[in-house]
Structure formats: C-alpha cells, structure tokens
Amino acid sequence: MTDDAPSPLRRVWRNLRARPAARPLAPVDTEAARDLAARLEAAGIRRLGRGLSLHALNPGSCGGCELELRMLDSVVYDLARFGLRFVDSPRQAEVLLVTGPVTRALQAPLLAAWEAAPDPKFVIAIGDCAIDGGVFKGSYAVAGGVDTTLPVDFVVRGCPPPPEEVLEGLLLLLEAGT
Amino acid sequence: MGLAASLRAQGGLPCRPWPRHPVSPGQWSALGAEAGLSLVALWGDALSVHALWRDAEGMLAVSVPVADGRYPALSPQRPGAILFERALRDLWGHAADGALDHRPWLDHGAWEVATPLVTRPPPHAGVPPEAAVEGMDQVPIGPMAGGIAEAGQFRLFVRGGRIARVQARLGWLHKGIPALMRGKSPRAASRFAARLAGDAPVAHAIAFARAAEAASDTLPPPRALALRAASAEAERIAMHLADIAALAAAAGAPLVAAHCQAHREALLRAGTRAFGHRLMMDVVVPGGLATDIAPEGVEAMRAAAAAVARDLAELGRLCAPLLRRLEGLGVVPPKLAMALSAGGPSGRACGAAGDLRRSPGYRPYHDLNVAPVREAPRNAPRDVGGDAAARLLVWLAELRDSARMVRTALTELPAGEIVATLPMVSGEGFGWAEGPRGGIWTWLRLEGGQIAQAFQRDPGWLHLPMLEGAARGADLADWPLLRASFGISHAGMDQ
C-alpha cells in the first residue's frame, strides 16, 4: 500500500458515512403479480420458495443484454437481498434468462441447456431479439425468438432491457410464488 | 521501391479515402511477403478478395480477382489471415490456395444454405466432422459454458496441468449481418452495425457511419462529431470498467469489481439522461446523430466521467494486489505481437503504438485539439510486458484519458445542426473508429444510396490469435483470467 492511502480509521469513517451502492427499488406491480399467481396456480405450481436460482443463456445475442445482466449481478442491484442469485450451470437453475435471437447453430445447445434444468423451471426471454428475433429475424442464420426452441413463460422488452426491468420481472415471479 | 509504394504511385479503383488497387495474384502474394506491412483485414465480394494493409506510409487497399473460386492464401506469411480466410470460405465459397487451415469458422452446418452471401446460395451439404486430436488431455469448453458469457467453443490441450495449445471455434453467434444490411439505406443498416457487438455499439456505429459518409462524400456537422467523441469516450470508460470488473471477479477481487460496477452504472444512467439509452445505441447514424444530447445530459455525463477520474487513485490502490496476481500471466509472444500488430488495449499492452484515434486519426480527435491518447509507458518494464497486468494497466491509464476527453468534448461543444443528409449516390468507402477493445474497420459499397456490400472488422479478429498464443504454457486454472484479460467480443467476430 502506498503512503497516500487513507488510514484505516478514515476508511471506517468514510464507509460509515457512505450510502450503500445498492439502489432502492420501485414496488412491484401487484396486479401483474396476481395475474402471474393465478397462472402459476393453474399450472399446479404452488410455491417457488423464497429464493430463485438464475442462469443466463445466450443463444445469439450481440452481447448488450449480457452486459446489462452483468450489471444486474453487481453490487448496484444486490440480488442477494431478494434471495436471487446467478448460478453457473442450468442444472442448478430455476429460472433461465435467455438473451438474443436463437441462431440456427445454437438451437441444439440451447435446448440441451433447457433440458438440463430441473423442473419446475421458468424461461424468461430477455430483450427484443429474444422475443421474436428482433432486427435479426428473417436471416438465414437465425431461427427466430426463444419461443422457436423453448416454451417461454414471460418476456422483458427492450434493446437491451435495463437491469431494473429484468429485476422487476424476477420479483413478480417471487411474489407470485409466495 | 517496394510494391506497396509503387501501387500507391499508381491510381486505383475509386474508394474514399484510399483507392482500392486491383492486383494480380503474384502481386497479392508479394505483398504478403513484404516487410513493414501489417494485415488489417481480409474480406470479399462475388468477384474478388480484398485486403487492407497498413505500413508507415498509411493504409493500402488491394483486391485480387477470384479465379475458379480460388485466390492465393496469405496465412503462410500472416498468422492474422487464418481466421479471415476460413470465414471467407464459409460466406463466399472462395478458397485460399495454400492456406494453413481449411476448416470452417462461421459455418456450423446449421444453415439451410451454404456460402450464404453469393447471389444464389446452394443448399447446404453439411460440414466435415472435426478431426480428433489424440495424445493430450483435452478440456472442452462451450459453446454455452456457464456464467453470463458469450457463446464460443474452446478446446484446451493440456500437458501436466499447463495449457499446451488452445483451439478456438467461434461462429456460433453468426446472425448474417452482412446479408441483412444489403439493400438497406445506410441509416437503416446502422441499426445492425450498432448491434454487431454489444460491447461497442457507439464505436461500431461511428465506424459504419464514417464509411457511409466517405462513400457518399458527406461531412457530418461539427456538433455531431464532438458528441460522437464524447459518447465514444464515455463508452470506452464504461466498457473498460466492465472488463476490469470481469477480470477482477475472475481473479477473486470483488472490491475492485464493485468499484468499477458502481461507476459503470453511473455512466450508463448518464447515457440515459443524455441520449435516452443506457448503451447509447442508435444515437450515431450516418450523417451525424439521430438525437441531440439533452441539456441536463451534458452535466450528467461530465459528472459521471469526473467521478471516475476522482476515484482512479483509489481504484489503482485496490488494483495493486490484482496486478501482482496478473504479473507474468498470459504474455503475448513478442514475435506474434509484431506479426499481428493488432492495436487496441491488448496490442498497446505489448508496447505497440496502435490507436486509430492517433493514426490514421479521425475527427474530432485532432480538430478539437484533444491531446494524444496515452499508450503503455515504455519506461516501466511491467507495462510493456504484454502480460495480463500490462493489459489491466492500459485499461486503467485509458480511463483517466477518456474521462478527460469526455469533459473536454462536452465543454467545447459547438452549436448547430446534428445531422447532414446523405445523398443517394453510389460509391465505396472505409470508416474506422477506435472502440473500447480496439480498432474497428468498416468497408462498404453504396449503389444508388443503398448498401450493396458491407464488411465490419471487429478488433477480436486479431486479438483471438493473441489469446491463443498467450495461453501457451499458462496454468489451466488461469484460463478464465486469461480470457477476461483480453476482452474479446465473440458476437463482434461472428457478425
């Protein structure tokens, strides 16, 4: 450590004064939560538990949605306070966050990842490309949106959707399940 | 007089700002062997294959005719040509005679057609299976490999816990962008340019816009140029912060990652206030800008950049243990670095001077009197080591300089129009921009104001071979660190 580093005492004082980096959150739309709860009820899924394991799948994104998901997984949104966490394998995941259009080359790997996730599982299509292929639809190399390959439970619009909006969708799922 | 010089003395086909010189197969190969030239890009169209070279005199664009679907390979002399040659074969069916590697790159046999860019693509006959390599332990990774990551496949050949060789295979994210751009106006096609790689939507849009402006001989208004620079530098800061955060997370330095992410978030929010979009996508369009900066956005961006600059000393201190961890890790062999002359932060970390803002340069980086960008200082031995620590140091140094440039560009913001109309003409042009991860090149041909052919070169094309070279001899366990230290966009390469 160099000489101009703040002293430990000063650091403690500064940290006590500083506000947390995590941002407060707007309340979740309760009507939408009731809707989703009814759907979950109908599907026979009563309880998702108090936490959710998330796994990101990218079958063709430009990388923009990934950057925003990485922000979602940062100190700024502090997922742990909601019981949300990213896991590295679909085998541990309850929610699959799928970004990007589905390229033809990645259709089979995407399906394999989905099959590896245990039931019950939810697929959230993140971003305009994941919904219907976005600007890339119609290309020889693109199959289309995520629903060409997987059953999609709900979608978050945007190019890319801000982390807050993805988080809102995840909180809906939590609220509906508890 | 060398061949490059004598070609420059002759005229060439009209293309701005440099003519494109038709060459014979013999001259094409001779350029490949000529010293002092480095290969920037290799791409094609129906009748010929084009190469963009660079030497001390500047840029040189040449085209060789394709005869019977073949053209002379450059890969025996130029390691950087290998991936381009493989992609050219996949997209156009042009085969490089004498190429070092004939395996497909973008084509995984999943498309209904083969060579999709030709006028009438034939149905796909399948791709040959990958040949098995025996005799070494292998660690296969990907194509979808956990974490919040881009799809890509790496096969690590391991001997005694150390990486002996890396075999990369991308192309999974290929979305057919060159084909999607055809027949569209430059304005419509710039949506694809911005979405080539999510790590640099502004820089890619700038390179594309500049190519369209060159092809149609249009000058964007000064206010647009200044705002382009401000948003490009803000994007560089935000992306360097993301890359440092990813590297720190991979190395187990969560405090560094947290600092970077908090600042990145502030910059992205400033982007929303300034241009209505966190990543500032679709703000830059051919001719200028789609939207002017919001009045409160000027201060928001200046403040976010100033906050990064203020916190740099602290960030540097926090990075000290991380730098020690990264020292000597993933050294790019100097010969390979020389042969590739890749530029970008990874190239500058090898001590090479490669920054498109300085050379060939573009407005407003000289017009606005923006000071030259600092490169890896040559007096500190660690900075020119070409290792992961040097790459991190370049990122840190560029944070400071880009923060200064954001503030300068926004303080001296000229008033006036933000967009010029592109005439509906035919023409050819090059555009370039220094993105956060390195130099971006775009070439396009307009026919009656519409895109006839376009090619975008992401910096990853030359950085991936660097990664493959740098991984040799590294600990298998350090592979995630190595990858993070290069910051390569798979989507940008896959098109």
Side-chain angles (χ1 to χ4, degrees):
Chain A
M1 196 177 282
T2 49
D3 294 338
D4 55 337
S7 73
L9 261 181
R10 190 180 287 269
R11 192 182 285 257
V12 167
W13 171 240
R14 198 189 52 194
N15 286 350
L16 281 175
R17 262 194 331 172
R19 286 181 302 137
R23 303 186 69 91
L25 214 80
V28 168
D29 182 353
T30 46
E31 194 172 325
R34 271 198 299 276
D35 252 27
L36 194 62
R39 277 174 52 206
L40 294 176
E41 191 83 22
I45 299 162
R46 301 224 183 283
R47 187 163 283 266
L48 283 165
R50 302 259 168 202
L52 287 176
S53 302
L54 318 172
H55 181 65
L57 291 170
N58 166 3
S61 146
C62 72
C65 287
E66 276 59 46
L67 283 169
E68 289 294 54
L69 286 185
R70 272 159 64 182
M71 285 316 293
L72 180 64
D73 191 22
S74 77
V75 63
V76 182
Y77 294 94
D78 190 16
L79 289 181
R81 63 183 155 156
F82 306 112
L84 300 170
R85 64 188 182 117
F86 273 94
V87 294
D88 277 349
S89 161
R91 290 176 205 287
Q92 307 158 341
E94 290 157 301
V95 177
L96 300 173
L97 303 174
V98 192
T99 55
V102 182
T103 66
R104 290 187 191 277
L106 284 170
Q107 256 185 310
L110 176 64
L111 193 61
W114 180 79
E115 281 168 352
D119 284 317
K121 56 194 165 195
F122 287 84
V123 175
I124 306 185
I126 307 275
D128 293 347
C129 294
I131 291 170
D132 65 350
V135 293
F136 302 110
K137 68 179 152 224
S139 164
Y140 61 86
V142 171
V146 177
D147 62 357
T148 55
T149 312
L150 305 181
V152 175
D153 292 290
F154 62 88
V155 302
V156 184
R157 287 184 188 285
C159 182
E164 265 161 0
E165 288 174 25
V166 179
L167 183 52
E168 206 168 290
L170 293 170
L171 294 182
L172 268 177
L173 202 52
L174 269 180
E175 296 235 327
T178 51
Chain B
M1 190 158 69
L3 181 53
S6 66
L7 281 173
R8 276 200 187 97
Q10 303 161 16
L13 299 170
C15 179
R16 274 182 292 260
W18 308 291
R20 195 161 50 77
H21 303 272
V23 293
S24 68
Q27 288 174 311
W28 175 268
S29 300
L31 279 173
E34 194 162 303
L37 282 176
S38 54
L39 183 69
V40 174
L42 194 63
W43 72 104
D45 60 27
L47 301 172
S48 42
V49 171
H50 317 299
L52 184 62
W53 294 95
R54 159 173 214 164
D55 63 9
E57 302 296 305
M59 312 303 297
L60 176 71
V62 297
S63 302
V64 68
V66 176
D68 295 331
R70 314 189 78 81
Y71 67 99
L74 293 175
S75 51
Q77 291 96 18
R78 306 286 176 171
I82 297 175
L83 299 182
F84 289 119
E85 287 173 356
R86 291 170 70 180
L88 257 168
R89 193 193 179 107
D90 289 346
L91 293 179
W92 288 99
H94 302 332
D97 261 334
L100 291 188
D101 196 334
H102 293 283
R103 292 170 301 164
W105 178 248
L106 298 174
D107 188 354
H108 289 265
W111 312 331
E112 280 166 6
V113 292
T115 60
L117 292 188
V118 304
T119 313
R120 269 180 290 278
H124 209 298
V127 288
E130 290 253 338
V133 182
E134 310 271 336
M136 259 190 278
D137 292 333
Q138 296 178 26
V139 182
I141 300 169
M144 287 172 122
I148 307 172
E150 289 192 288
Q153 205 175 11
F154 294 91
R155 189 170 295 167
L156 310 183
F157 296 90
V158 180
R159 206 178 265 137
R162 293 194 172 271
I163 299 172
R165 190 157 70 85
V166 176
Q167 189 180 298
R169 177 75 203 275
L170 301 188
W172 299 94
L173 297 168
H174 179 73
K175 291 180 275 294
I177 288 176
L180 287 167
M181 280 187 175
R182 282 182 185 165
K184 300 209 165 59
S185 69
R187 174 87 182 232
S190 78
R191 286 180 64 81
F192 297 106
R195 283 161 186 77
L196 179 80
D199 62 289
V202 175
H204 272 290
I206 291 176
F208 181 83
R210 287 171 37 76
E213 286 152 11
S216 61
D217 204 10
T218 313
L219 272 184
R223 185 176 174 84
L225 291 174
L227 285 171
R228 277 183 187 178
S231 50
E233 294 311 314
E235 173 178 88
R236 188 181 326 278
I237 302 172
M239 197 56 220
H240 281 5
L241 289 170
D243 277 335
I244 297 171
L247 179 61
L255 196 53
V256 173
H259 260 255
C260 293
Q261 287 158 339
H263 280 300
R264 177 175 160 85
E265 179 71 15
L267 271 158
L268 299 185
R269 280 172 189 266
T272 309
R273 289 179 66 189
F275 295 108
H277 194 283
R278 282 164 64 89
L279 303 181
M280 298 178 282
M281 259 180 190
D282 303 324
V283 172
V284 174
V285 293
L289 295 185
T291 43
D292 203 344
I293 191 165
E296 74 273 18
V298 176
E299 198 36 53
M301 283 184 73
R302 265 209 302 242
V308 172
R310 263 201 315 277
D311 201 24
L312 269 176
E314 174 76 358
L315 188 60
R317 271 194 293 276
L318 291 173
C319 279
L322 179 59
L323 281 165
R324 279 197 291 280
R325 168 74 178 87
L326 298 177
E327 236 166 85
L329 177 74
V331 178
V332 180
K335 256 191 173 161
L336 181 66
M338 277 286 287
L340 291 169
S341 300
S346 311
R348 294 197 279 278
C350 299
D355 188 330
L356 300 188
R357 289 172 296 181
R358 300 188 62 188
S359 164
Y362 54 103
R363 296 206 301 150
Y365 286 98
H366 21 249
D367 286 7
L368 273 180
N369 202 18
V370 179
V373 180
R374 191 175 149 224
E375 279 156 20
R378 277 141 206 285
N379 47 5
R382 198 166 60 180
D383 290 34
V384 293
D387 59 354
R391 293 188 278 279
L392 175 55
L393 283 172
V394 170
W395 282 336
L396 288 169
E398 291 187 359
L399 285 181
R400 183 183 304 281
D401 205 47
S402 292
R404 179 188 59 74
M405 281 192 268
V406 168
R407 283 174 291 162
T408 311
L410 288 176
T411 308
E412 295 162 11
L413 201 55
E417 293 291 306
I418 54 158
V419 69
T421 313
L422 258 55
M424 302 279 275
V425 293
S426 302
E428 236 182 83
F430 285 102
W432 60 96
E434 182 73 19
R437 286 166 160 185
I440 293 165
W441 287 90
T442 302
W443 169 87
L444 57 78
R445 181 188 291 144
L446 294 177
E447 273 165 23
Q450 292 184 327
I451 307 278
Q453 208 64 254
F455 167 76
Q456 292 173 280
R457 196 222 67 172
D458 188 85
W461 285 97
L462 297 182
H463 289 161
L464 189 62
M466 282 177 106
L467 167 63
E468 289 179 328
R472 239 167 250 165
D475 246 6
L476 176 60
D478 285 340
W479 170 248
L481 277 181
L482 270 174
R483 264 188 78 187
S485 78
F486 278 92
I488 294 168
S489 163
H490 296 176
M493 292 180 69
D494 286 350
Q495 310 164 57

